[in-house]
Amino acid sequence: MNENRFYILLSKKLTNELSPEENIELDILMAGNPEFNNISRLLLDSLLQPSAARPQQDEKILANLRAKLKIIDPALFVLDEEEKIFTPGSFWKRYKKGLIGSSLLVLGLAVVLSIFNLKEPNEPAKKPSFSENNISTNRGSKTEVKLPDGTLVILNADSKLSYPDNFLGNTREVTLQGEAFFKVTENKQKPFIIHSKAMDIKVLGTVFNVKAYPGESTSEATLIKGSIEVTLKNRTNEKIMLKPSEKITVSNFTEIPKLDIKKALGSSTKPIEHIPLIAVDQVSVDKKENIFKEIGWTQNKLMFKNETLESIVTTMQRWYGRTIEIKTEKLKDLKFTGNFTEESFVQVIQALQLSCNFSFKAENNSILIY
């Protein structure tokens, strides 16, 4: 449960045992739920203060909290009578030693939520609300997100991922604009579905990459491990299954007519159906970098294989956060292959320049290639 995870992370924060990754996870949880922010404020700002310094309302809440926790386990929180300060460190040490089970820890901290919503001790608690979380990245940046079900997502530059506080119902559904690497936690009873502009991807538990930037001519899904089921937006009755090391590419714009025989014979007025162009290709690990080119970005590797300069420039703009414009049309279709890891923006441009005789210059905060 999302709430349970929040309580555990907050407990570790109180005792300075939170790792950098867990700290990011806690920030994401609080960003998506105002109740979590309120609870954090109460515990972090008031719980460790002497009672004389706490607001009267907070003191009343904490008094009720103390009584409830004492019923559960008198040693769960220790009250220093001399300083009248709650000391949460002792319960976390006991928890790590196995003297307090995880269910007890969650139950004890869950009391905070119910009491925090009380203006009076006997007033019924409010139910926590669930909302959609939107995680975005700017050009030149990436971020890592752990979803409520434990699924790991690495979000590439200039991308957006939307997902709920909790995966309720029979599916786990998210929406992606941009590019992301997914390592989905297996749950055969609850499929994981990614919605993008051109296709929907359904999985049970697997590792794959999705590239679906708005405005680009194609969307891609590359399967690393397991299996995925792809459904095109305007061909929902057809399913395409991918095997490991396969990539599907779907055209976002170019459409071709699907022949309607009845219409051709004049016996129907049904309009011709349009379908996007698609291709399924085999991909392989780059021998030099020992990684699939399609997920090289997750390890800070900028990798191109027989790609046009126009496509490379689009990727570089997101990677470095710089604006690049190709002024000479014939240069756009030139193709390049190369791998870059720590090279600067200028070094990559210079390396491309060695393969083709073009010039570049800075103008109005942009790089012009001609």
Side-chain angles (χ1 to χ4, degrees), residues 3-278:
E3 292 177 17
N4 295 357
R5 183 63 177 161
F6 164 73
Y7 298 137
I8 292 172
L9 292 174
L10 185 59
S11 303
K12 296 180 73 173
K13 186 178 182 71
L14 286 169
T15 53
N16 295 318
E17 297 181 55
L18 207 62
S19 69
E21 292 79 12
E22 289 173 329
N23 194 50
I24 293 173
E25 185 181 353
L26 179 60
D27 289 341
I28 292 171
L29 287 174
M30 290 196 297
N33 193 317
E35 293 289 352
F36 291 169
N37 269 314
N38 291 337
I39 296 168
S40 177
R41 178 200 63 79
L42 175 64
L43 286 176
L44 298 180
D45 294 344
S46 299
L47 190 60
L48 301 180
Q49 294 179 5
S51 59
R54 287 195 290 266
Q56 185 176 359
Q57 181 64 24
D58 283 358
E59 183 61 27
K60 183 185 296 186
I61 294 171
L62 292 172
N64 282 280
L65 171 62
R66 185 186 309 136
K68 291 281 187 181
L69 293 177
K70 189 173 183 180
I71 294 173
I72 297 170
D73 187 333
L76 193 58
F77 277 77
V78 177
L79 178 63
D80 188 324
E81 291 297 338
E82 182 178 351
E83 298 291 333
K84 294 196 179 296
I85 299 175
F86 278 112
T87 316
S90 60
F91 85 80
W92 188 249
K93 290 175 183 176
R94 293 181 64 216
Y95 170 75
K96 290 200 299 182
K97 291 178 180 178
L99 297 179
I100 299 180
S102 58
S103 60
L104 180 58
L105 173 65
V106 170
L107 179 62
L109 288 171
V111 175
V112 180
L113 180 60
S114 61
I115 296 176
F116 184 79
N117 284 319
L118 297 176
K119 290 185 178 179
E120 295 298 333
N122 296 324
E123 190 176 321
K126 298 178 183 177
K127 292 183 179 180
S129 60
F130 300 102
S131 59
E132 185 178 74
N133 299 289
N134 295 300
I135 306 298
S136 301
T137 53
N138 297 321
R139 287 185 173 188
S141 67
K142 296 189 289 289
T143 192
E144 186 174 304
V145 183
K146 206 159 192 181
L147 302 186
D149 65 334
T151 291
L152 172 68
V153 182
I154 304 177
L155 201 61
N156 204 352
D158 198 19
S159 301
K160 178 182 176 181
L161 181 73
S162 302
Y163 64 95
D165 282 334
N166 276 302
F167 291 120
L168 305 177
N170 299 322
T171 59
R172 299 169 285 168
E173 301 190 38
V174 303
T175 301
L176 173 67
Q177 293 182 19
E179 185 168 20
F181 171 85
F182 292 87
K183 187 176 181 181
V184 177
T185 299
E186 185 174 1
N187 186 339
K188 294 181 179 179
Q189 284 71 46
K190 206 164 188 174
F192 191 96
I193 300 173
I194 301 98
H195 298 287
S196 67
K197 177 182 177 180
M199 57 186 170
D200 295 329
I201 300 169
K202 179 180 177 181
V203 304
L204 299 177
T206 187
V207 180
F208 59 100
N209 191 79
V210 180
K211 185 179 180 182
Y213 281 104
E216 288 201 355
S217 60
T218 61
S219 294
E220 301 175 356
T222 304
L223 180 61
I224 310 302
K225 179 182 178 182
S227 64
I228 61 177
E229 177 186 279
V230 179
T231 305
L232 306 183
K233 289 292 189 180
N234 57 353
R235 293 174 67 177
T236 55
N237 60 324
E238 298 178 26
K239 312 296 182 185
I240 301 170
M241 299 297 298
L242 289 192
K243 299 176 182 178
S245 302
E246 286 186 340
K247 175 173 74 173
I248 184 171
T249 303
V250 180
S251 173
N252 292 333
F253 306 117
T254 304
E255 296 182 334
I256 59 174
K258 183 177 182 181
L259 181 62
D260 188 324
I261 296 177
K262 288 185 178 180
K263 182 171 178 61
L265 295 175
S267 61
S268 172
T269 57
K270 181 181 177 181
I272 295 176
E273 180 184 0
H274 286 73
I275 60 173
L277 296 171
I278 62 173

